[in-house]
Amino acid sequence: MQLKKKLQEWPLHLMLLPGILLTLLFSYVPIMGIVIAFQKFSPAKGIFHSKWIGLDNFRYMLELPNFTSILWNTIFIAVLKIIAGMIVPIVFALLLNEIAGAFFKRTIQTIIYFPYFLSWVILGGILIDILSPSGGIVNQMLGIFGIEPIFFLGNEKWFPYTLVLTDTWKHFGYGTIVYLAALTAIDQSLYEAATMDGANRWKQTLHVTLPGMMPIVVLMGVLSLGNVLNAGFEQVFNLYSPMVYSTGDILDTFVYRIGLLDAQYGVATAVGLFKSVISFVLIVISNKLAGRYAGYRIF
Amino acid sequence: MHKLTLSRKSFLIFNYILLGLTAFVCILPLINVLAISFSSSTAAAAGFVKLLPVDFTLSSYKYALQKHEFVDGFFVSLKRVGLGYAINMLLSILVAYPLSKEKKALSLRNFYAWFFIITMLFSGGLIPTYMTIKSVHMLDTIWALVLPGAVPVFNVILLMNFFRGLPKEIEEAAYIDGAGYWRVLWKIYVPLSMPAIATITLFTIVTHWNSWFDGLIYMNQPIHYPLQSYLQTIIITTDPSLMSSNELLNTGDVSDRTYKAAQVFLAAFPVLLVYPFLQKYFMKGLVMGSVKG
């Protein structure tokens, strides 16, 4: 027999209250503030007295001569980052998994994981130095092979690839650890059975390890769909310059410049909303797919 | 016993070399710039510095630490980390606990859960958020840096899943003894969740320490900049036209380049200090995140 007295609910509501109030103010009020995307907003008149102009801001956005190239840059950079951000850690995890020496394995992990914890300001400072065409160590080393100095951060051809490479540098250690964790979860008896059947390590990788990794690979791939418009504001902001706007300007940096620097609040909010809505739809789709194919639930 | 075949042996040698080289290339930028920060300006300018400092000197570090903007920024960052961490942790616990309950204990549980999840999926964006913070007069105050992200939903989910994994029996025994939700939370759940709380602690501290964009836009006066925002304004100059207009520094052993390198490492130093702990707890965090309720 149980002597369970019914607990009242109100303490639980009380616990949630501070979090709810702060979330209302700093997340939901800004969401409602999106209405200025449909206004000819002026700070002097405020949200309640600015003129409503329907979809004019969006029309203006689509007619901007550089809008298509900004949208394209965003997708191009983001998709390359997603692809590199999956392949490199998977390959690296597979190779690390073949290493028997625990010390070597740990040391490598410790080294490659470290840049993940440094901000893009710090990494930006480091990259600007090492990639400098005058005296940066990268160009010094290329010089040994007789290659002329390349201005990686100032050349519009090189810039997007430099972004992808340096982003991979920061993040692949993290990814490697995620995939390594998935590898250690594979049932060891499968390997023993494969050895009995005469499969060598390569065959085992192909027929045991890779299929064993597939669920997490599919999950990560599907979930990254939501990032197709996230080209990495913090990185681009710290590495780009007007010289590379044609290939390096992305939606987020564009919103920052026209919004906070040029004070075109309505247009900037419209561009931001355009991005948020597409991203939202993509996230919902990707979560649905992840739920169906990988049993993933956000909550 | 099985002997390694020749092809297996050569693969392993190749593998060790490849992994070692990749790791070396990953750490090389850090070592190179670290070496520059300890080198004299002439050696750095001549391109002599590779992996080790040339003409070892601490001048750049001394110069950086003399700048009051740097020291001020350091203290703003410390304040931000302390206050931001306290708020994040307290609210994460207070939100995660009710959400870890079943619907029969908290009837609005799913409504509350979606209330928080939606903020992860959709946001007002840069301009509306900026205007909200401006309209509540938080510009140029520390609150603009710690309150907008006060409820870190990702951490809430992590903690909620951890709470759900704890044995129900202890909790029920406490209720029978007359304890209420508050007591159970602080006396049972929080002490039992220390591994999860430690993980979240480290990541929250590093996140606050590394944040720079909010400081840049919400602080009008540079004196209120956290360290990373201040550094952003002085280290990040990729535009040569801006570089020439900046005062190009060259006094004694210190040049613009060695000075920037020194500041980069001063700002990275605290992260380096907690890194061994971060790494240790990260695996635990991964495992926790995968425990679905």
Side-chain angles (χ1 to χ4, degrees):
Chain A
M1 209 179 83
Q2 255 192 323
L3 285 167
K4 207 159 132 194
K5 88 172 184 230
K6 174 85 177 132
L7 284 161
Q8 289 196 310
E9 262 191 57
W10 66 265
L12 295 178
H13 293 280
L14 195 64
M15 287 176 189
L16 285 162
L17 190 66
I20 286 187
L21 290 178
L22 285 168
T23 305
L24 269 179
L25 178 58
F26 292 108
S27 295
Y28 284 89
V29 169
I31 287 177
M32 288 184 274
I34 286 176
V35 296
I36 65 173
F38 306 96
Q39 289 183 335
K40 190 176 167 58
F41 180 78
S42 89
K45 289 183 188 158
I47 249 179
F48 299 104
H49 303 287
S50 288
K51 198 174 143 214
W52 292 89
I53 52 170
L55 294 174
D56 280 6
N57 285 329
F58 293 89
R59 223 164 275 140
Y60 176 82
M61 165 186 98
L62 292 173
E63 281 163 10
L64 284 171
N66 47 358
F67 183 74
T68 5
S69 88
I70 290 168
L71 186 59
W72 167 248
N73 293 343
T74 308
I75 297 173
F76 182 72
I77 294 167
V79 169
L80 281 188
K81 278 183 181 177
I82 290 172
I83 296 172
M86 289 198 61
I87 293 176
V88 177
I90 291 172
V91 171
F92 221 77
L94 286 173
L95 292 177
L96 261 182
N97 198 40
E98 297 297 316
I99 300 285
F103 176 76
F104 184 78
K105 208 167 162 179
R106 252 199 103 71
T107 311
I108 299 280
Q109 281 187 49
T110 305
I111 292 172
I112 62 171
Y113 191 22
F114 185 60
Y116 179 77
F117 291 102
L118 298 176
S119 70
W120 274 116
V121 170
I122 291 180
L123 294 179
I126 291 173
L127 288 169
I128 289 167
D129 187 296
I130 65 160
L131 295 177
S132 152
S134 53
I137 192 166
V138 173
N139 276 310
Q140 277 188 42
M141 287 187 344
L142 291 178
I144 298 174
F145 302 101
I147 299 170
E148 291 289 306
I150 298 168
F151 195 1
F152 291 98
L153 296 174
N155 181 312
E156 46 191 26
K157 269 211 192 71
W158 284 95
F159 187 70
Y161 303 102
T162 309
L163 288 179
V164 174
L165 191 73
T166 55
D167 183 73
T168 309
W169 172 50
K170 177 167 157 75
H171 290 114
F172 89 101
Y174 171 90
T176 301
I177 291 182
V178 171
Y179 289 112
L180 261 182
L183 282 178
T184 50
I186 295 174
D187 188 356
Q188 289 304 310
S189 63
L190 291 175
Y191 290 104
E192 285 157 25
T195 316
M196 300 271 265
D197 291 344
N200 59 22
R201 291 294 298 195
W202 171 243
K203 283 266 161 64
Q204 290 179 25
T205 304
L206 221 54
H207 299 292
V208 180
T209 313
L210 280 178
M213 274 179 101
M214 263 344 250
I216 184 117
V217 173
V218 171
L219 180 65
M220 300 292 264
V222 167
L223 290 181
S224 63
L225 188 63
N227 282 327
V228 165
L229 290 184
N230 283 330
F233 173 77
E234 299 213 342
Q235 180 198 19
V236 177
F237 188 79
N238 284 315
L239 295 178
Y240 84 156
S241 60
M243 285 178 290
V244 293
Y245 278 177
S246 62
T247 58
D249 198 15
I250 57 168
L251 284 173
D252 290 323
T253 47
F254 182 65
V255 169
Y256 169 80
R257 286 203 316 278
I258 57 169
L260 289 184
L261 300 185
D262 303 344
Q264 299 189 56
Y265 297 112
V267 183
T269 308
V271 179
L273 179 60
F274 169 82
K275 189 202 155 194
S276 302
V277 168
I278 296 180
S279 290
F280 178 75
V281 172
L282 289 175
I283 293 172
V284 171
I285 294 174
S286 69
N287 274 285
K288 279 260 184 307
L289 288 175
R292 184 172 303 165
Y293 296 110
Y296 172 84
R297 280 195 299 143
I298 191 171
F299 236 76
Chain B
M1 286 304 288
H2 66 126
K3 262 175 56 189
L4 291 176
T5 60
L6 183 65
S7 67
R8 178 71 186 157
K9 226 185 253 168
S10 38
F11 165 74
L12 279 179
I13 293 169
F14 163 80
N15 195 17
Y16 271 95
I17 293 174
L18 180 73
L19 291 174
L21 265 180
T22 316
F24 177 69
V25 170
C26 285
I27 202 74
L28 183 68
L30 302 172
I31 295 177
N32 177 242
V33 179
L34 184 64
I36 288 172
S37 74
F38 284 116
S39 298
S40 74
S41 55
T42 38
F48 292 152
V49 188
K50 300 285 188 296
L51 299 177
L52 291 172
V54 177
D55 304 339
F56 183 90
T57 168
L58 289 172
S59 313
S60 300
Y61 285 89
K62 281 192 195 126
Y63 187 85
L65 289 172
Q66 276 167 8
K67 281 258 178 185
H68 74 90
E69 289 97 335
F70 188 91
V71 180
D72 289 346
F74 190 86
F75 282 108
V76 173
S77 279
L78 277 189
K79 196 168 147 195
R80 179 213 176 121
V81 168
L83 195 61
Y85 166 66
I87 292 173
N88 281 165
M89 203 65 238
L90 181 71
L91 289 180
S92 298
I93 292 171
L94 287 180
V95 171
Y97 180 66
L99 292 186
S100 73
K101 296 291 164 210
E102 299 292 323
K103 229 183 138 179
K104 55 179 193 280
L106 178 65
S107 48
L108 289 174
R109 191 251 165 211
N110 286 350
F111 167 79
Y112 285 133
W114 279 107
F115 176 85
F116 289 107
I117 295 174
I118 285 172
T119 65
M120 271 175 109
L121 306 178
F122 196 81
S123 79
L126 181 67
I127 306 299
T129 307
Y130 176 84
M131 294 202 318
T132 305
I133 286 164
K134 190 175 177 188
S135 67
V136 290
H137 306 289
M138 282 186 187
L139 293 187
D140 276 313
T141 69
I142 192 92
W143 303 110
L145 306 179
V146 295
L147 287 184
V151 187
V153 183
F154 186 78
N155 291 349
V156 169
I157 297 177
L158 203 80
L159 207 53
M160 181 193 78
N161 284 328
F162 197 88
F163 284 165
R164 284 183 165 180
L166 296 174
K168 295 272 174 291
E169 292 78 13
I170 315 176
E171 187 190 5
E172 276 161 17
Y175 293 142
I176 292 169
D177 290 346
Y181 282 126
W182 287 97
R183 220 166 167 35
V184 166
L185 173 59
W186 296 116
K187 298 285 176 190
I188 298 176
Y189 273 76
V190 171
L192 284 179
S193 303
M194 275 311 163
I197 290 176
T199 307
I200 296 175
T201 297
L202 285 163
F203 279 82
T204 307
I205 288 175
V206 173
T207 305
H208 272 293
W209 179 261
N210 278 343
S211 296
W212 54 273
F213 185 63
D214 49 3
L216 202 63
I217 59 174
Y218 298 140
M219 304 295 140
N220 293 319
Q221 292 159 349
I223 186 142
H224 296 130
Y225 278 165
L227 186 60
Q228 302 260 350
S229 306
Y230 165 68
L231 288 184
Q232 205 282 334
T233 60
I234 56 161
I235 293 181
I236 304 298
T237 42
T238 40
D239 188 357
S241 60
L242 284 173
M243 264 187 240
S244 52
S245 66
N246 266 18
E247 44 154 352
L248 270 181
L249 158 88
N250 212 333
T251 47
D253 270 350
V254 186
S255 71
D256 207 47
R257 191 172 175 199
T258 61
Y259 169 54
K260 281 178 178 171
Q263 295 190 94
V264 160
F265 278 94
L266 284 170
F269 186 64
V271 180
L272 203 61
L273 276 186
V274 298
Y275 182 55
F277 303 100
L278 273 171
Q279 229 210 348
K280 185 173 150 222
Y281 280 108
F282 176 72
M283 285 304 282
K284 292 187 184 172
L286 258 189
V287 176
M288 282 184 311
S290 61
V291 180
K292 295 287 175 214

